[in-house]
Amino acid sequence: MPNSNAKIRCNHRSGQEVGRRELVSRSLLSAQHCLEEQDFGTAYAHYLLVLNLAPELKASVKETFQYTLFKWAEELDSLSRIQDLFNCYEQALELYPNDEVICNSMGEHLFRMGFRDEAAGYFRKAVKLNPDFADAKENFYRVANWLVERWHFIMLNDAKRNLTYLKAIENAVHSGCKSVLDIGTGTGILSMFAKKAGASSVYACELSKTMYELARDVVAANNMEKEIKLLHLKSLDIEIPKHIPKRVSLVVTETVDAGLFGEGIVESLIHAWEHLLLQPK
């Protein structure tokens, strides 16, 4: 009797496998037919079914799936079905999470719609996945020109200004300010100054997604990613102890251009003084 039950289960599994293969085969034929008819939405749905039923086919259908996705996304874009477009890309990236071509295409759609920070994230991921991907590199540099203000480069090359900040931070840390919050960290330079000066705890917040990612790269390149806590937040949204464990003893910032109106630097400093900075006794 046990052998009979095992045989029944084996036959059942075999039947399921045959059924799966038949469904996959029919769906592939249907997808190809839909492509010939330029019915990209239905073709895309068939490919989703195929890839979910037969993940082993990912490599063999990858290019055709990409083509179908991009053509269907164009139609959705022309129909202003933006949420459906994003849903399709999310589904595609679940299937191909490390596909630089899909990441780059997603970034292009986001950029055209005005979501530049989000677009930069996808372009950056595409370049990291394939540093030789020329289209992604060009797109990333293009969006970076929109997002990274030119004054960042001027400040980073202003040796006198940076030395003044460094000495001021060193004086504050050596006088007892051991916990530091850097508001609008940008490239992370002031946070690194504070850590090198001997601060025990350094926190940095940055509202721009692109600058936040850049700061992460810069901090990591200087081997300080475990010593400086970066927050992708507006300073007004920082909460204790959710984001930082307790009030800090020093706040630093160099948000002194027109961008201060976006961050609201006066409000940020008042907020830091009242809620995030230790009060003098």
Side-chain angles (χ1 to χ4, degrees), residues 16 33-34 81 105 127 132 140 161 172 222:
Q16 285 183 322
H33 175 72
C34 290
R81 292 172 56 182
S105 180
V127 172
D132 296 324
F140 181 68
R161 184 177 189 278
N222 285 273

Side-chain angles (χ1 to χ4, degrees), residues 52-208:
N52 279 288
L53 287 175
E56 67 272 15
L57 296 179
K58 282 184 180 181
S60 61
V61 304
K62 179 178 176 179
E63 289 187 9
T64 311
F65 175 75
Q66 288 174 343
Y67 171 79
T68 306
L69 168 66
F70 300 156
K71 298 300 287 186
W72 179 224
E74 287 177 9
E75 284 192 23
L76 292 173
D77 194 7
S78 67
L79 295 170
S80 298
R81 292 172 56 182
I82 306 306
Q83 189 57 55
D84 289 334
L85 184 154
F86 288 151
N87 289 342
C88 285
Y89 273 97
E90 287 175 3
Q91 292 166 339
L93 286 169
E94 285 180 8
L95 292 166
Y96 296 97
N98 295 318
D99 188 289
E100 70 272 20
V101 178
I102 295 176
C103 286
N104 182 64
S105 180
M106 175 66 155
E108 289 175 338
H109 281 287
L110 287 165
F111 185 76
R112 283 196 295 271
M113 294 173 191
F115 300 108
R116 292 169 182 162
D117 260 331
E118 293 81 357
Y122 281 98
F123 293 145
R124 179 174 177 272
K125 182 178 179 180
V127 172
K128 281 198 165 187
L129 289 168
N130 182 1
D132 296 324
F133 188 7
D135 287 350
K137 286 198 291 186
E138 181 181 343
N139 285 330
F140 181 68
Y141 294 146
R142 179 159 55 101
V143 75
N145 284 331
W146 286 90
L147 295 171
V148 181
E149 299 288 350
R150 292 300 175 190
W151 51 263
H152 279 289
F153 302 106
I154 297 171
M155 288 194 303
L156 288 173
N157 287 285
D158 188 340
K160 182 178 179 181
R161 184 177 189 278
N162 293 336
L163 184 60
T164 301
Y165 267 106
L166 173 60
K167 289 182 176 179
I169 291 172
E170 284 178 341
N171 289 338
V173 172
H174 294 165
S175 67
C177 296
K178 296 299 183 181
S179 56
V180 181
L181 171 64
D182 179 5
I183 295 178
T185 192
T187 59
I189 187 171
L190 298 189
S191 296
M192 291 187 290
F193 283 170
K195 195 62 195 177
K196 287 182 178 179
S200 55
S201 303
V202 180
Y203 311 96
C205 65
E206 176 56 55
L207 181 60
S208 164

